[in-house]
């Protein structure tokens, strides 16, 4: 059995940055949820908010990795209008029976993170072993490293040294 899979959805790249840093630090496999409908521009932004507010799932591509093959699955989402993203909602609904140990994280411009993480855990049908809320500005300014390291430790994942030139 493999140790860790990090699954995330990112519209703007902020959640992707966190997922990539965590995967690199923990030596985890990484899976980006692929939305089948583009979310670019103002129309994509509005549709994203509407789907999140309504609790609507999104059409996503089939995943490349099986979460049941991993001891720990970490799920990451942006906060959209105080809710989880529609693509992560779809992924959880499709895969929730395969999660063993669970970690959850979210990125947000303002607030709503703890509620999003609670909703994700409820949809998964199990509590998370560790959770993390990060503000977009902290991620973009590189102020998230200590929080990421603590999150990885909470999940029992050893951190690998960052390559030279990276913190």
């Amino acid at each position: 059995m493999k140790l860790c899979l990090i699954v995330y959805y990112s519209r703007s790249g902020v959640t992707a940055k966190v997922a990539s840093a965590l995967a690199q630090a923990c030596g985890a496999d990484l899976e980006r949820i692929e939305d089948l409908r583009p979310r670019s521009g103002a129309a994509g932004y509005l549709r994203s908010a509407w789907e999140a507010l309504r609790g609507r799932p999104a059409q996503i591509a089939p995943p490349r990795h099986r979460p049941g093959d991993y001891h720990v699955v970490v799920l990451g989402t942006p906060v959209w209008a105080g809710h989880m993203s529609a693509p992560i909602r779809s992924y959880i609904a499709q895969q929730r029976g395969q999660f063993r140990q669970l970690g959850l994280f979210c990125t947000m411009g303002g607030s709503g993170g703890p509620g999003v993480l609670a909703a994700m855990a409820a949809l998964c049908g199990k509590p998370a072993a560790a959770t993390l809320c990060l503000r977009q500005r902290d991620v973009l300014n590189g102020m998230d490293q200590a929080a990421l390291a603590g999150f990885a430790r909470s999940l029992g994942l050893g951190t690998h040294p960052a390559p030279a030139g990276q913190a």
Side-chain angles (χ1 to χ4, degrees), residues 8 10 13-22 139-142 144-145 148:
Y8 70 96
S10 186
V14 175
T15 307
K17 185 175 181 180
V18 172
S20 294
L22 190 59
V139 173
L140 296 176
N141 292 326
D144 59 343
Q145 298 303 309
L148 284 173

Side-chain angles (χ1 to χ4, degrees), residues 11 24-25 30 39 56 74 83 97 100 112 144 148 157 165:
R11 181 179 177 274
Q24 185 175 9
L30 191 61
R39 294 183 181 273
R56 300 268 186 169
V74 176
H83 296 79
R100 297 175 195 281
D144 59 343
L148 284 173
L157 303 173

Side-chain angles (χ1 to χ4, degrees), residues 3 6 15 17 22 48 74 83 94-95 98 106 116 138 140 157 161 166-167:
L3 182 58
I6 299 172
T15 307
K17 185 175 181 180
L22 190 59
S48 297
V74 176
H83 296 79
Q94 293 172 10
Q95 305 295 327
Q98 295 190 53
C106 66
V116 166
D138 293 335
L140 296 176
L157 303 173
Q166 294 185 358

